């Protein structure tokens, strides 16, 4: 190897090694562990087979839980996007200073992790330090119950967690929209609602789809908000995986992770098939 | 229309910031229980936080992990971005896809799978293991900012440098790196913030023997709420705000978000 080749070969080697450790090895380990059976005492692999998957699909319980989680996260994605698009449009129309302030505010709130977000909302929804206590003090409601754990609490907090990220992702695309397109629509007599649904939404189809995919991926793999704010019957699939990891039933937890990954890939493929195609241009 | 915009943005700011204000207020509560508005306000929980070694150790662990993983992630991202910038080949595109993959996998799936890798390397329950997990997770972020920075370099600048007799190494150190430096710094800072806040990967790789601050906050909630939890949350908020303000003050915020300002 001569001196000319050295600087080029070194980064390639570094990246190949890195990709093997952090990208390919995890997927390989995921697959091999999911089809392994280990000795509960020593943790050594005894045999390979589909036992873990047979246990997962012994009845419909986990399949129903995956379907529930996919449905829940899809609903969270739809609600988040329905709020994010008009709110981002409102921010995009602001003057420079106000818009900059909003971007910093959004970035600051999205810097809160799942754990901190869940904790902050537990306080806000508690009777001692939050809304139920304030409303009770004002005589608007009676009783001394906190509003969590509950399904609405979990749902709202997951939307709260996703909203700033969705808005930050949408903002560049909305800023790039051609203002003449909207002005011409108004000149042609379109109403504001017609402009929103017939001009803005179709123009933003690509960015909305990409943001929806990222919002979906961000939420489907999380478990903290679901576990902290929801009742056990509301918990998402990732909670089961985390619990089996905690109790050292690793192969079964890995098999569940593998099933979740397959379900997510199927969802993405279906979403891409339905929404990912470019609309047929008509003249 | 302006009124509707004002109302919707006011509603948004209340929605986003009320939980944070409640946490801030409760961190100044005098008694042990959580209350808002704070009763008998005091900063005793702040002194308690910084004098309790279990809290300061977890904060120190978080900082060490965040500094190392964001640095390593930025180096890997820089190498990947430079290779693709030099030559847009299938191999280099595969590198970009492969290093971004951990960020795109569902969080729990990546956390479980990287914990298996760290276990096989004997790194489960070590700071090095969590640093590896966070590096893998975060590379995608400085990769995006580095590519945005490289997109600012025009071919004519590279040609001019070559005409002036610059070697490839000089072009890299005297032209490319100075132009993309603010983008790399911003990418590193974004990944630093995310690493400080990350819970799932840290929890899976920590093997119950290491506590980062998010793990400590999560674990402490099992023993009931006390204002120290709010202090931990506020320390994190302030940390993130300082770093974000620095990025905003660098003047590159808009181009980092992919927005061209008029």
């Amino acid at each position: 190897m001569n001196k000319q080749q050295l600087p080029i070969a070194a980064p390639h080697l570094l990246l190949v090694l890195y990709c093997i450790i952090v990208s390919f090895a995890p997927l390989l380990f995921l697959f091999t562990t999911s089809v392994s059976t280990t000795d509960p005492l020593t943790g050594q692999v005894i045999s390979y087979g589909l036992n873990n998957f047979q246990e997962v699909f012994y009845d419909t319980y986990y399949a129903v839980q995956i379907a529930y989680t996919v449905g829940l996260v899809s609903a969270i994605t739809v609600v988040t996007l329905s709020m994010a698009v008009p709110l981002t449009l409102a921010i995009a129309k602001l003057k420079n200073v106000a818009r900059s302030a909003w971007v910093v505010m959004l970035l600051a709130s999205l810097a809160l992790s799942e754990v901190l977000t869940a904790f902050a909302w537990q306080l806000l929804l508690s009777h001692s330090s939050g809304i139920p206590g304030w409303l009770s003090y004002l005589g608007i409601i009676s009783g001394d119950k906190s509003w969590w754990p509950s399904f609405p609490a979990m749902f709202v907090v997951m939307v709260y967690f996703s909203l700033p990220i969705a808005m930050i992702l949408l903002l560049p695309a909305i800023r790039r929209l051609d203002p003449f397109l909207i002005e011409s629509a108004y000149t042609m007599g379109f109403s504001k609602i017609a402009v929103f649904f017939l001009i803005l939404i179709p123009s933003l189809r690509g960015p909305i789809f990409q943001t929806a995919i990222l919002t979906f991926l961000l939420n489907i793999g999380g478990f903290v908000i679901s576990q902290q704010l929801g009742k056990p019957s509301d918990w998402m699939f990732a909670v089961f995986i985390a619990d089996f990891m905690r109790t050292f039933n690793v192969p079964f937890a890995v098999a569940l992770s593998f099933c979740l990954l397959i379900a997510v890939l199927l969802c993405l493929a279906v979403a891409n098939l339905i929404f990912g195609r470019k609309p047929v241009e008509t003249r | 229309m302006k009124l509707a915009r004002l109302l919707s943005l006011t509603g948004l700011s209340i929605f986003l910031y009320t939980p944070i204000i409640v946490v801030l207020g409760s961190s100044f509560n005098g008694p042990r229980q959580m209350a808002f508005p704070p009763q008998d306000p005091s900063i005793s929980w702040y002194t308690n936080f910084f004098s309790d070694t279990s809290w300061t150790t977890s904060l120190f662990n978080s900082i060490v992990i965040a500094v190392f993983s964001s640095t390593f992630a930025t180096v890997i991202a820089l190498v990947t971005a430079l290779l693709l910038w030099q030559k847009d080949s299938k191999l280099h595109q595969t590198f970009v896809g492969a290093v971004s993959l951990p960020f795109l996998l569902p969080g729990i799936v990546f956390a479980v799978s990287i914990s298996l890798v760290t276990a096989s390397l004997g790194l489960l329950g070590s700071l090095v293991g969590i640093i590896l997990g966070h590096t893998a997770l975060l590379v995608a972020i400085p990769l995006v900012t580095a590519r945005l920075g490289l997109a600012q370099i025009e071919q004519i600048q590279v040609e001019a440098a070559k005409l002036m007799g610059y070697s490839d190494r000089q072009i890299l150190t005297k032209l490319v790196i100075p132009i993309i430096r603010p983008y790399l710094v911003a990418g590193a800072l974004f990944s630093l913030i995310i690493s400080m806040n990350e819970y799932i990967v840290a929890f899976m790789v920590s093997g119950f023997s290491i506590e980062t601050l998010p793990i400590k906050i999560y674990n402490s909630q099992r023993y009931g709420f006390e204002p120290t939890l709010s202090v931990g949350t506020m320390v994190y908020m302030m940390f993130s705000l300082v770093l974000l303000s620095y990025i905003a003050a660098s003047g590159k915020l808009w181009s980092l978000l992919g927005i061209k300002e008029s």
Side-chain angles (χ1 to χ4, degrees):
Chain A
M1 186 181 285
N2 61 37
K3 279 183 180 175
Q4 285 292 310
Q5 283 173 315
L6 192 66
I8 296 295
H12 279 95
L13 202 65
L14 171 78
L15 281 184
V16 167
L17 196 67
Y18 175 82
C19 291
I20 288 172
I21 295 172
V22 307
S23 303
F24 301 117
L27 292 178
L28 187 70
F29 274 73
L30 195 72
F31 179 71
T32 52
T33 312
S34 69
V35 292
S36 70
T37 306
T38 53
D39 184 329
L41 291 176
T42 61
Q44 295 293 315
V45 175
I46 304 168
S47 62
Y48 288 99
L50 295 174
N51 297 359
N52 297 313
F53 290 101
Q54 281 168 350
E55 207 177 324
V56 172
F57 294 109
Y58 173 72
D59 56 21
T60 55
Y61 180 75
Y62 289 113
V64 169
Q65 289 302 326
I66 288 186
Y68 159 75
T69 303
V70 168
L72 173 68
V73 174
S74 305
I76 288 162
T77 305
V78 170
V79 172
T80 303
L81 266 291
S82 323
M83 289 170 71
V85 174
L87 287 167
T88 314
L89 275 167
I91 289 175
K93 283 179 189 164
L94 293 172
K95 292 202 171 79
N96 273 348
V97 178
R99 198 169 58 244
S100 301
W102 263 106
V103 168
V104 173
M105 274 175 76
L106 289 173
L107 284 172
S109 62
L110 75 81
L112 276 182
S113 69
E114 269 192 300
V115 173
L116 304 185
T117 301
F119 170 65
W121 275 88
Q122 280 174 327
L123 289 190
L124 184 65
L125 300 177
S126 289
H127 188 268
S128 62
S129 56
I131 299 169
W134 306 338
L135 294 181
S136 174
Y137 179 76
L138 295 170
I140 297 170
I141 60 167
S142 58
D144 57 357
K145 279 193 175 168
S146 294
W147 286 354
W148 65 276
S150 68
F151 182 84
M154 180 185 80
F155 196 95
V156 168
V157 178
M158 291 187 80
V159 170
Y160 172 91
F161 182 66
S162 320
L163 188 63
I165 301 167
M167 290 179 70
I168 286 289
L169 291 172
L170 284 171
L171 191 60
I174 289 180
R175 284 288 299 166
R176 277 197 292 267
L177 272 180
D178 186 357
F180 293 111
L181 193 70
I182 299 157
E183 277 173 30
S184 341
Y186 283 135
T187 314
M188 288 166 74
F190 279 55
S191 70
K192 284 193 169 86
I193 292 172
V195 167
F196 183 80
F197 285 106
L198 299 177
I199 309 287
L200 284 172
I201 298 294
S203 310
L204 293 169
R205 186 188 162 97
I208 289 175
F209 177 67
Q210 287 154 10
T211 307
I213 294 291
L214 277 172
T215 309
F216 181 85
L217 285 175
L218 180 81
N219 281 303
I220 197 125
F223 70 88
V224 177
I225 294 174
S226 162
Q227 194 169 34
Q228 298 288 76
L229 272 306
K231 290 186 298 222
S233 57
D234 306 326
W235 287 352
M236 285 168 46
F237 196 69
V239 178
F240 299 105
I241 299 173
D243 280 350
F244 282 113
M245 286 299 279
R246 278 195 193 104
T247 51
F248 302 105
N249 193 347
V250 177
F252 191 68
V254 174
L256 291 180
S257 304
F258 198 81
C259 293
L260 181 65
L261 182 62
I262 298 297
V264 168
L265 290 176
L266 279 175
C267 289
L268 293 184
V270 170
N272 197 39
L273 217 62
I274 300 171
F275 303 108
R277 280 177 299 187
K278 285 184 179 170
V280 180
E281 286 189 17
T282 51
R283 286 178 190 275
Chain B
M1 193 63 188
K2 275 190 175 175
L3 182 69
R5 194 195 307 166
L6 183 73
L7 285 176
S8 60
L9 291 182
T10 308
L12 176 65
S13 48
I14 292 170
F15 180 57
L16 289 181
Y17 278 86
T18 311
I20 295 165
I21 291 166
V22 171
V23 175
L24 176 67
S26 62
S27 72
F28 292 107
N29 203 39
R32 182 174 280 271
Q33 78 265 24
M34 309 300 283
F36 187 89
Q39 296 161 357
D40 191 15
S42 109
I43 57 159
S44 61
W45 296 105
Y46 282 82
T47 47
N48 191 42
F49 178 90
F50 286 105
S51 58
D52 183 336
T53 50
S54 69
W55 283 102
T56 50
T57 305
S58 55
L59 178 62
F60 178 74
N61 285 341
S62 285
I63 292 172
V64 169
I65 291 164
V67 167
F68 278 99
S69 55
S70 59
T71 307
F72 292 149
T74 308
V75 171
I76 299 288
L78 175 63
V79 172
T80 313
L82 279 174
L83 284 178
L84 188 70
W85 181 70
Q86 277 180 332
K87 193 179 176 193
D88 190 358
S89 67
K90 280 258 162 44
L91 175 67
H92 296 166
Q93 284 172 359
T94 308
F95 281 144
V96 170
V99 299
S100 307
L101 184 70
F103 193 74
L104 296 172
L105 286 174
I108 189 84
V109 174
F110 177 67
V112 167
S113 51
I114 198 73
S115 75
L116 298 173
V117 175
T118 50
S120 72
L121 294 172
L123 298 173
L124 198 68
S126 71
L127 281 179
V128 178
I130 304 178
I131 290 169
L132 177 72
H134 276 191
T135 303
L137 186 70
L138 299 172
V139 170
I141 295 160
L143 182 61
V144 169
T145 60
R147 290 181 71 185
L148 280 170
L150 287 168
Q152 310 293 317
I153 301 171
E154 293 188 26
Q155 193 55 36
I156 198 163
Q157 291 172 295
V158 180
E159 298 296 334
K162 278 184 183 164
L163 278 175
M164 288 167 72
Y166 278 38
S167 66
D168 281 355
R169 185 179 291 267
Q170 284 174 318
I171 291 174
L172 181 69
T173 54
K174 296 190 172 168
L175 175 74
V176 176
I177 298 291
I179 291 177
I180 66 170
R181 185 179 291 131
Y183 294 89
L184 287 177
V185 171
L189 292 180
F190 278 131
S191 35
L192 192 84
I193 293 171
I194 296 176
S195 169
M196 286 281 287
N197 280 288
E198 204 284 330
Y199 171 76
I200 300 180
V201 171
F203 158 69
M204 289 288 177
V205 180
S206 69
F208 305 103
S209 55
I210 289 183
E211 279 191 324
T212 61
L213 201 46
I215 295 177
K216 171 79 177 157
I217 290 174
Y218 186 84
N219 290 343
S220 300
Q221 286 178 35
R222 280 185 295 177
Y223 307 110
F225 287 0
E226 59 170 35
T228 322
L229 291 170
S230 302
V231 174
T233 307
M234 288 328 295
V235 167
Y236 260 46
M237 267 306 279
M238 290 304 124
F239 179 84
S240 304
L241 266 180
V242 168
L243 294 185
L244 287 170
S245 307
Y246 173 79
I247 296 171
S250 73
K252 298 286 180 195
L253 185 60
W254 294 110
S255 57
L256 282 168
L257 296 174
I259 301 170
K260 277 188 181 170
E261 279 306 273
S262 48

